[in-house]
Amino acid sequence: MTLVRTPEALKDARASLGLSADALAKIVRVEDGRTVRRWEAGEREIPGPVIVILEAAIGYLDSIKLIDTQLAMLRSGKMTSGETTSAGRIDQTDADIERLTVSRKSLVEALEILTRQPANDGSDRVHWYTLQRATPLFDPAQKDEWSIPGELSPEAALAYFAKHEGFDEGLEVANDEGPLKEFVLEKREVLRRQVGASQRLSAGRVIQTYAVRRHLRSYAGNWVMTE
């Protein structure tokens, strides 16, 4: 995971994402680019929420670059994918190319949403996503619920949970086919409460629910390098 917790790392992350100081200021909802430049000069401490947003964005970008490398190797024949069974090795290269392509599209969407400029209509649109286990574990060492506020799609919210909550194989909105659904994703309204000069956000009524499962197969696959 790339950390964005120093002025130099912040400046590098902004450059990698192709954002101007003013563009980043709009994304993290500060007054203008001068505040961003003060963070990068070390004149002000980088706020925690800004660190979270940039580390998530760079994480998406790094994952996209990794998938691009894997796709190039699979398509060129430098790497093959499959599994060995009693009947021999079954080639799954084409299936993995398709899965990687879908994963890449989801990550690109998540990155675009995370770095999108806020709507300039005064609505300040935000939702609250809550991911819950369909069957709680009730184990103190395990979590059963996770949440994130943001103007996200369900897929982008799941990409965030997968990256930051240890679901290394990824999460996906489930259809009626395949294994049992392990999680439920709730899209909720956001309730705002003014506390001094700041606003506190909390989850409101449920707008929509989605059945969620882990990806059927990690995109890392069972790959073999070829000559």
Side-chain angles (χ1 to χ4, degrees), residues 68-109:
D68 285 343
T69 299
Q70 294 165 344
L71 282 171
M73 296 184 74
L74 287 169
R75 287 167 174 160
S76 68
K78 294 180 180 179
M79 182 185 294
T80 61
S81 173
E83 59 182 336
T84 302
T85 69
S86 58
R89 183 172 175 80
I90 300 174
D91 184 86
Q92 295 179 328
T93 300
D94 289 343
D96 272 348
I97 288 175
E98 183 177 351
R99 291 189 185 96
L100 281 167
T101 301
V102 171
S103 294
R104 187 186 190 282
K105 181 179 179 182
S106 182
L107 287 165
V108 168
E109 180 190 40

Side-chain angles (χ1 to χ4, degrees), residues 3-216:
L3 300 180
V4 185
R5 304 183 184 183
T6 65
E8 295 78 13
L10 173 61
K11 189 172 185 178
D12 290 345
R14 180 170 63 78
S16 296
L17 293 167
L19 297 171
S20 67
D22 287 330
L24 178 57
K26 290 180 181 178
I27 291 168
V28 298
R29 299 179 185 272
V30 296
E31 187 174 353
D32 56 38
R34 289 176 294 181
T35 301
V36 173
R37 287 188 283 272
R38 291 189 183 105
W39 295 334
E40 293 179 350
E43 297 173 4
R44 291 187 180 179
E45 184 176 355
I46 306 170
V50 174
I51 291 173
V52 170
I53 289 172
L54 285 175
E55 287 184 353
I58 291 298
Y60 294 147
L61 188 62
D62 288 345
S63 295
I64 291 167
K65 290 178 180 178
L66 175 60
I67 288 177
D68 285 343
T69 299
Q70 294 165 344
L71 282 171
M73 296 184 74
L74 287 169
R75 287 167 174 160
S76 68
K78 294 180 180 179
M79 182 185 294
T80 61
S81 173
E83 59 182 336
T84 302
T85 69
S86 58
R89 183 172 175 80
I90 300 174
D91 184 86
Q92 295 179 328
T93 300
D94 289 343
D96 272 348
I97 288 175
E98 183 177 351
R99 291 189 185 96
L100 281 167
T101 301
V102 171
S103 294
R104 187 186 190 282
K105 181 179 179 182
S106 182
L107 287 165
V108 168
E109 180 190 40
L111 179 60
E112 289 176 345
I113 291 172
L114 191 64
T115 58
R116 183 169 57 195
Q117 304 298 300
N120 190 26
D121 58 5
S123 63
D124 196 26
R125 293 172 297 182
V126 176
H127 293 105
W128 187 289
Y129 283 94
T130 300
L131 180 70
Q132 306 172 26
R133 292 190 194 275
T135 303
L137 298 179
F138 299 113
D139 182 346
Q142 300 282 339
K143 290 180 65 175
D144 290 321
E145 183 174 305
W146 305 263
S147 63
I148 177 178
E151 190 183 344
L152 305 172
S153 67
E155 292 78 12
L158 292 178
Y160 177 90
F161 290 131
K163 175 176 175 56
H164 292 278
E165 301 295 347
F167 299 105
D168 295 334
E169 65 274 51
L171 299 167
E172 63 184 2
V173 175
N175 55 27
D176 293 332
E177 301 176 356
L180 293 175
K181 317 310 181 286
E182 189 177 351
F183 305 93
V184 174
L185 181 69
E186 294 181 341
K187 179 179 181 179
R188 294 174 170 267
E189 289 182 338
V190 164
L191 302 178
R192 295 175 173 83
R193 181 167 58 93
Q194 197 71 28
V195 179
S198 62
Q199 280 191 342
R200 298 285 177 85
L201 304 181
S202 61
R205 71 177 181 88
V206 175
I207 299 173
Q208 194 167 357
T209 61
Y210 307 85
V212 173
R213 66 184 172 210
R214 298 172 193 264
H215 278 309
L216 296 182

